[in-house]
Amino acid sequence: MRQKIVAGNWKMNKSFQEAEDLLDEILEIMEEEKGENPQMVICTPFPYLELATDMMDEFHPKIGAQNVCEFENGAYTGEISANMLNSVGVEYCIIGHSERRKYYAENSGSLVKKLDLLLNEGITPIFCCGEVLEEREADKHFDIVRAQVEEALFHLNSDEIRNVVIAYEPVWAIGTGKTATSAQAQEMHAYIRALLNVKYSKDISEEITILYGGSCNAKNARELFSNPDVDGGLIGGASLKAEDFFKIYKSF
Ligand code: PEP
């Protein structure tokens, strides 16, 4: 279901105590916000997921993980399965983030498996796609994003794709302070929606939530979110301070 979403990606930041304090602050600010539209999602590091899900009630932010293992269970030392995430109350999971594609060789082959496992567990995947700077400068950004979307997502049937959130994150904008312009974001989001229209249907393409990510902050969120095909944001750095994150959340 298409929904306004602001999702925070804490990445590998915060001690346990700092995580608890930040969650407390967010909950305090969110006290008056009983509602699911926009939906706030907080993607914490693995060790804090259970703490986070325990702290939320049904009206509060949903909790997400930042990765999941591509295998179901068994001898995969150091990995975390989709079933484990479900068992501690996780409802969203980021996959295909550019940092994982770059440092951990995440590719469409493993993403297909991760998507299937997450959907089987009823966890909403937040699937990230986006081009690097050289690809944009060479005017290949549409081709790159099309390939990422087609290769990872298009094995899903119409019912399954409805349960996926897509995050367009131009890699050159992540953690750089260099945000895509509102027009660049809208153009790519509309393009992704058009791909979904061709593969599935107009109705399905209109049902899918597409987030923008890349140096989105309290100052630029309102303009980015005002675009018809931008349904919210995936927020890195600015999700680490409760006030900033809340301002972004209120930017629709
Ligand atoms: C991200 O990590 O997904 C991200 C968008 O980071 P930042 O907001 O810091 O650019």
Side-chain angles (χ1 to χ4, degrees), residues 201-215:
S201 69
K202 179 89 182 137
D203 284 355
I204 289 177
S205 75
E206 289 296 335
E207 271 183 48
I208 292 176
T209 303
I210 308 179
L211 308 180
Y212 168 80
S215 297

Side-chain angles (χ1 to χ4, degrees), residues 9 11 97 99 169 173-176 213-216 234-238:
N9 174 14
K11 312 195 188 194
H97 192 280
E99 287 150 16
E169 298 207 303
I174 297 180
T176 58
S215 297
C216 184
L234 178 55
I235 318 296

Side-chain angles (χ1 to χ4, degrees), residues 41-244:
V41 178
I42 304 171
C43 300
T44 79
F46 285 132
Y48 316 145
L49 287 172
E50 194 181 355
L51 166 80
T53 55
D54 280 353
M55 286 172 75
M56 303 299 149
D57 71 22
E58 61 180 308
F59 298 111
H60 282 127
K62 305 288 187 205
I63 299 304
Q66 300 170 19
N67 184 33
V68 66
C69 182
E70 69 202 81
F71 302 110
E72 199 170 347
N73 68 319
Y76 300 101
T77 302
E79 290 293 323
I80 307 283
S81 73
N83 179 260
M84 290 174 187
L85 295 179
N86 184 16
S87 72
V88 294
V90 166
E91 292 182 65
Y92 288 80
C93 183
I94 297 170
I95 56 168
H97 192 280
S98 63
E99 287 150 16
R100 294 212 60 87
R101 291 180 191 260
K102 180 175 175 189
Y103 301 123
Y104 301 96
E106 185 128 295
N107 57 34
S108 300
S110 61
L111 289 170
V112 162
K113 296 181 194 162
K114 291 181 181 199
L115 275 157
D116 292 345
L117 290 166
L118 289 170
L119 290 170
N120 270 340
E121 291 293 337
I123 296 172
T124 303
I126 302 177
F127 168 78
C128 302
C129 56
E131 79 286 355
V132 300
L133 187 59
E134 299 74 54
E135 291 161 346
R136 177 157 285 261
E137 285 174 348
D139 210 19
K140 289 186 176 149
H141 44 296
F142 291 113
D143 291 343
I144 295 296
V145 169
R146 189 187 67 231
Q148 290 173 341
V149 167
E150 281 179 358
E151 288 170 14
L153 298 184
F154 280 10
H155 69 290
L156 299 174
N157 67 32
S158 305
D159 289 332
E160 291 165 334
I161 191 75
R162 283 192 172 94
N163 295 318
V164 175
V165 169
I166 297 175
Y168 168 57
E169 298 207 303
V171 181
W172 46 271
I174 297 180
T176 58
K178 195 169 180 235
T179 318
T181 64
S182 183
Q184 285 171 327
Q186 167 57 25
E187 183 182 42
M188 185 60 85
H189 284 226
Y191 177 71
I192 295 170
R193 218 176 284 289
L195 294 175
L196 296 165
N197 178 7
V198 171
K199 168 70 182 172
Y200 295 97
S201 69
K202 179 89 182 137
D203 284 355
I204 289 177
S205 75
E206 289 296 335
E207 271 183 48
I208 292 176
T209 303
I210 308 179
L211 308 180
Y212 168 80
S215 297
C216 184
N217 57 40
K219 291 202 176 106
N220 58 31
R222 189 168 295 279
E223 192 185 342
L224 286 161
F225 297 175
S226 68
N227 287 297
D229 288 297
V230 178
D231 301 313
L234 178 55
I235 318 296
S239 71
L240 295 171
K241 285 202 180 127
E243 241 179 72
D244 291 350

